[in-house]
Amino acid sequence: MLDNLIFSIALSTHIGLHGDFNSVHPHAQYQLPNNYITGVYHNSDKRASIYFGKRTKYKQLDIEYGVVHGYKRIDIAPMIKVNYGNVFVTPAATEDDVGLVAGYEVKF
């Protein structure tokens, strides 16, 4: 049961977005049967986010997708995160900009 619990920390940069964003993201994820995932992390808005989704593999990519709660601009949002080893990228948007969050995540 505890084998399914993953702790990590990610460092990120916000590409194409203007503003004061958090770039350190502590994260706890629990892996459920059938590749479902749920977790909590410190988001770019400097708030806690919870999410529920699914993980799938495509060649060397691990893709996580689902819904997330905890951002200032939208209560519940779609999420997608593409992981290649420890490197990740995810789309991001503010009221004025559309961009990407890219980073490096270390799992414990």
Side-chain angles (χ1 to χ4, degrees):
M1 186 164 158
L2 288 179
D3 293 341
N4 296 342
L5 185 59
I6 297 171
F7 294 100
S8 67
I9 191 160
L11 301 176
S12 70
T13 187
H14 296 75
I15 302 165
L17 303 171
H18 299 88
D20 180 29
F21 297 105
N22 174 49
S23 62
V24 179
H25 312 280
H27 179 205
Q29 182 181 83
Y30 190 76
Q31 299 176 349
L32 300 156
N34 299 318
N35 295 322
Y36 286 98
I37 55 175
T38 188
V40 60
Y41 64 96
H42 190 65
N43 70 30
S44 297
D45 284 341
K46 304 174 186 169
R47 300 168 58 159
S49 278
I50 59 171
Y51 65 91
F52 179 78
K54 195 160 186 176
R55 174 182 287 125
T56 191
K57 195 161 187 69
Y58 177 75
K59 298 188 181 184
Q60 296 179 344
L61 302 176
D62 284 319
I63 303 166
E64 300 175 0
Y65 56 94
V67 293
V68 62
H69 166 74
Y71 286 91
K72 293 177 189 173
R73 193 171 79 89
I74 186 167
D75 192 37
I76 297 176
M79 69 157 208
I80 186 166
K81 181 180 171 211
V82 179
N83 304 286
Y84 180 77
N86 292 79
V87 176
F88 70 90
V89 65
T90 185
T94 65
E95 291 180 9
D96 301 318
D97 302 312
V98 175
L100 295 172
V101 176
Y104 189 84
E105 183 173 24
V106 178
K107 296 178 181 177
F108 302 101

